[in-house]
Amino acid sequence: MADDVRTKATIVAALKHQITSLQTLVDDLEHSTTPDLREIRHLPDLLQERREQLSLSPVETAELAGLSPNTYRALERADGNPRLETLESVGRVLNFKLWIEMV
């Protein structure tokens, strides 16, 4: 029985150490100034995710960005070829910036 207690105590100690390490990683990431870069193909999901986090409808988002609701909905559906100015105006509303990387 003593072996079971030692084994449980060892497992608990190891798990607590892992939890502490993970919490440190979370804290580091949350306070990092490194941008969260994503590929343009993820833009529709990002737009919808950010809009929902802010409890905005597509119409409200469009109005705040100075766009028609149809134009904004097209962005979330990945329809068309939006101008950079359009993406920048939506970014101001949904709190993201565009980065262009030339490779």
Side-chain angles (χ1 to χ4, degrees):
M1 183 129 187
D3 288 338
D4 290 341
V5 172
R6 237 178 291 139
T7 301
K8 287 180 185 178
T10 303
I11 291 170
V12 167
L15 287 172
K16 285 182 178 181
H17 177 70
Q18 286 181 336
I19 290 168
T20 300
S21 296
L22 289 171
Q23 187 59 54
T24 300
L25 178 60
V26 167
D27 292 343
D28 289 347
L29 286 171
E30 285 179 337
H31 297 98
S32 172
T33 58
T34 304
D36 181 12
L37 301 178
R38 301 188 192 181
E39 293 180 15
I40 193 74
R41 64 188 169 97
H42 298 291
L43 183 63
D45 293 333
L46 174 66
L47 294 176
Q48 183 176 359
E49 176 185 313
R50 293 282 175 98
R51 178 179 57 74
E52 289 174 352
Q53 286 172 349
L54 295 170
S55 299
L56 294 171
S57 71
V59 172
E60 292 168 327
T61 305
E63 287 176 3
L64 291 169
L67 306 172
S68 74
N70 287 337
T71 298
Y72 179 76
R73 285 188 191 103
L75 292 174
E76 282 196 7
R77 288 190 313 264
D79 289 345
N81 190 13
R83 297 180 351 183
L84 288 176
E85 294 83 8
T86 300
L87 296 174
E88 288 174 335
S89 64
V90 172
R92 283 190 291 276
V93 173
L94 300 180
N95 194 29
F96 69 85
K97 292 183 180 181
L98 297 175
W99 289 61
I100 298 173
E101 181 179 55
M102 305 297 281
V103 292

